[in-house]
Amino acid sequence: MLPFLSHLAALLLLYRGLFFAINRMGPETAPHQRLAWLLVTTGALDFVAAPLFRRVPLGAWHGLLPLVLLALWLLASYLLRYLKGKP
Protein backbone atom coordinates (compact mmCIF):
# COMPACT_ATOMS: atom_id res chain seq x y z
CA MET A 1 0.00 0.00 0.00
CA LEU A 2 2.87 2.36 0.79
CA PRO A 3 4.42 2.28 -2.73
CA PHE A 4 1.00 2.82 -4.27
CA LEU A 5 0.29 5.88 -2.12
CA SER A 6 3.70 7.37 -2.72
CA HIS A 7 3.51 6.93 -6.48
CA LEU A 8 -0.03 8.27 -6.58
CA ALA A 9 1.02 11.37 -4.65
CA ALA A 10 4.08 11.84 -6.88
CA LEU A 11 1.95 11.51 -10.02
CA LEU A 12 -0.51 14.09 -8.69
CA LEU A 13 2.33 16.51 -7.96
CA LEU A 14 3.89 15.89 -11.35
CA TYR A 15 0.60 16.41 -13.18
CA ARG A 16 -0.27 19.53 -11.20
CA GLY A 17 3.21 20.98 -11.59
CA LEU A 18 3.64 20.35 -15.30
CA PHE A 19 0.20 21.13 -16.62
CA PHE A 20 -1.06 23.82 -14.27
CA ALA A 21 1.53 25.55 -12.14
CA ILE A 22 4.56 25.89 -14.42
CA ASN A 23 2.63 26.46 -17.66
CA ARG A 24 0.47 29.21 -16.18
CA MET A 25 3.28 31.27 -14.66
CA GLY A 26 3.60 34.76 -16.01
CA PRO A 27 6.11 37.56 -15.63
CA GLU A 28 4.45 38.64 -12.38
CA THR A 29 5.12 35.29 -10.67
CA ALA A 30 7.63 35.60 -7.86
CA PRO A 31 11.00 33.90 -8.46
CA HIS A 32 10.73 31.85 -5.26
CA GLN A 33 7.41 30.41 -6.43
CA ARG A 34 8.91 29.48 -9.78
CA LEU A 35 11.85 27.77 -8.10
CA ALA A 36 9.62 25.97 -5.61
CA TRP A 37 7.37 24.51 -8.32
CA LEU A 38 10.37 23.57 -10.42
CA LEU A 39 11.92 21.68 -7.49
CA VAL A 40 8.66 19.96 -6.50
CA THR A 41 7.97 18.88 -10.08
CA THR A 42 11.53 17.66 -10.59
CA GLY A 43 11.39 15.70 -7.33
CA ALA A 44 8.10 14.08 -8.33
CA LEU A 45 9.53 13.17 -11.73
CA ASP A 46 12.55 11.61 -10.03
CA PHE A 47 10.28 9.59 -7.77
CA VAL A 48 8.09 8.34 -10.63
CA ALA A 49 10.99 7.57 -12.99
CA ALA A 50 13.21 5.88 -10.38
CA PRO A 51 12.00 2.30 -11.14
CA LEU A 52 12.82 2.82 -14.83
CA PHE A 53 16.46 3.24 -13.87
CA ARG A 54 16.41 0.31 -11.43
CA ARG A 55 16.56 2.63 -8.47
CA VAL A 56 14.30 2.31 -5.46
CA PRO A 57 12.76 5.62 -4.34
CA LEU A 58 12.49 6.44 -0.67
CA GLY A 59 9.54 4.44 0.58
CA ALA A 60 9.65 4.98 4.32
CA TRP A 61 6.94 6.86 6.18
CA HIS A 62 9.22 9.81 6.89
CA GLY A 63 9.71 10.24 3.14
CA LEU A 64 6.10 9.60 2.20
CA LEU A 65 4.38 11.90 4.66
CA PRO A 66 5.57 15.25 3.20
CA LEU A 67 4.82 14.01 -0.32
CA VAL A 68 1.27 12.96 0.54
CA LEU A 69 0.60 16.11 2.56
CA LEU A 70 1.77 18.32 -0.28
CA ALA A 71 -0.38 16.41 -2.77
CA LEU A 72 -3.43 16.68 -0.51
CA TRP A 73 -2.83 20.40 -0.02
CA LEU A 74 -2.67 20.92 -3.78
CA LEU A 75 -5.79 18.86 -4.34
CA ALA A 76 -7.67 20.78 -1.64
CA SER A 77 -6.62 24.15 -3.06
CA TYR A 78 -7.73 23.06 -6.53
CA LEU A 79 -11.09 21.84 -5.24
CA LEU A 80 -11.68 25.05 -3.26
CA ARG A 81 -10.97 27.17 -6.33
CA TYR A 82 -13.26 24.94 -8.41
CA LEU A 83 -16.09 25.21 -5.89
CA LYS A 84 -15.74 29.00 -5.77
CA GLY A 85 -16.02 29.12 -9.55
CA LYS A 86 -12.58 30.53 -10.34
CA PRO A 87 -10.58 29.04 -13.23
Side-chain angles (χ1 to χ4, degrees), residues 10-78:
L11 283 172
L12 177 66
L13 289 173
L14 186 62
Y15 176 75
R16 177 81 174 142
L18 284 177
F19 297 112
F20 293 102
I22 293 176
N23 284 340
R24 294 185 180 175
M25 287 185 188
E28 70 279 350
T29 306
H32 67 277
Q33 276 187 320
R34 290 176 191 251
L35 181 63
W37 270 109
L38 184 64
L39 291 175
V40 165
T41 305
T42 305
L45 178 64
D46 176 55
F47 195 86
V48 170
L52 297 174
F53 298 104
R54 299 182 196 268
R55 207 170 39 89
V56 178
L58 183 64
W61 284 108
H62 65 275
L64 174 66
L65 188 61
L67 185 67
V68 170
L69 288 177
L70 186 58
L72 287 174
W73 176 70
L74 289 173
L75 186 62
S77 67
Y78 174 73

